[in-house]
Amino acid sequence: MSTTQSERLRELLEPLVTSQGLDLEEIAVDSVGRKRVLSVIVDSDTGADLDQIADVSRALSAKLDESDAMGEGEYTLEVGTPGAERALTEHRHYVRATGRLVKFQLHEGGEIVARILGVDDDGLDVEVPGLKGRKATARRLAFADIDKARVQVEFNRKDSDVDSDVAKDMKEEEEA
């Protein structure tokens, strides 16, 4: 998809998505055989339920039908939310991932998996799980040090309480 088409689609669709209380995260046009598929990814701080997805899908479909943004050929509109293992690329993505386990690739070449405890304008407070019975440790990551970050799927999370001992220790240090 050309940058100009992507920009035109974003300019056309973003106000509609925003009016539905959602953020427009991604737009992609892919060719599948002779058909094209327009994928629109939306999200919000509280997530998006099926009713919201249906409402925004109808609004986007109507807007696209009245414009020439997709040209004359057939296309399919798909509206959804980010996947379970979404990449974190915006500040709001990190905020929404608070409490989640994330795999970080660092500029220095290292890689860590840690739970996001807090987010501010400069970076993240994370909890690195302890290995082989060791206690979890706190770490501060500056956004400038993060090359890539992706949420990890957890099937057997034992501690769902984000305010763990490490988080309490970090709060006590800040207050001291």
Side-chain angles (χ1 to χ4, degrees):
M1 175 169 64
S2 72
T3 303
T4 55
Q5 183 183 23
S6 175
E7 289 170 358
R8 283 183 60 204
L9 285 169
R10 183 168 284 279
E11 286 175 17
L12 180 70
L13 304 179
E14 194 161 31
L16 285 173
V17 172
T18 303
S19 73
Q20 301 283 331
L22 300 170
D23 295 317
L24 178 58
E25 296 292 347
E26 185 179 325
I27 295 175
V29 177
D30 296 309
S31 295
V32 180
R34 292 183 178 178
K35 290 189 177 184
R36 293 174 298 151
V37 177
L38 171 58
S39 298
V40 178
I41 305 299
V42 298
D43 201 7
S44 77
D45 290 343
T46 58
D49 63 29
L50 289 176
D51 290 334
Q52 287 176 300
I53 298 294
D55 290 344
V56 77
S57 182
R58 282 190 290 273
L60 296 179
S61 181
K63 188 68 167 181
L64 288 164
D65 287 347
E66 70 185 37
S67 77
D68 67 344
M70 288 299 293
E72 295 295 319
E74 283 187 37
Y75 67 92
T76 301
L77 172 63
E78 294 179 352
V79 179
T81 57
E85 292 186 6
R86 77 172 302 168
L88 306 178
T89 57
E90 304 282 337
H91 185 271
R92 69 177 179 266
H93 297 164
Y94 290 96
V95 172
R96 291 173 185 164
T98 299
R100 304 283 309 269
L101 198 63
V102 176
K103 183 183 217 177
F104 297 95
Q105 291 180 348
L106 306 176
H107 288 305
E108 65 195 32
E111 179 178 286
I112 64 167
V113 176
R115 187 168 315 283
I116 297 176
L117 299 175
V119 181
D120 60 31
D121 291 340
D122 300 318
L124 316 165
D125 293 319
V126 299
E127 175 185 75
V128 180
L131 298 176
K132 298 182 181 179
R134 293 185 179 158
K135 188 176 179 180
T137 57
R139 183 165 176 184
R140 176 76 180 168
L141 294 177
F143 287 121
D145 295 336
I146 301 170
D147 195 25
K148 293 180 184 178
R150 184 170 298 278
V151 172
Q152 301 296 290
V153 174
E154 293 181 85
F155 293 107
N156 296 321
R157 183 172 175 189
K158 293 176 184 167
D159 177 22
S160 63
D161 183 10
V162 174
D163 196 19
S164 67
D165 291 337
V166 173
K168 289 177 188 173
D169 291 345
M170 291 180 79
K171 286 180 185 176
E172 289 172 4
E173 288 175 16
E174 288 176 4
E175 292 172 359

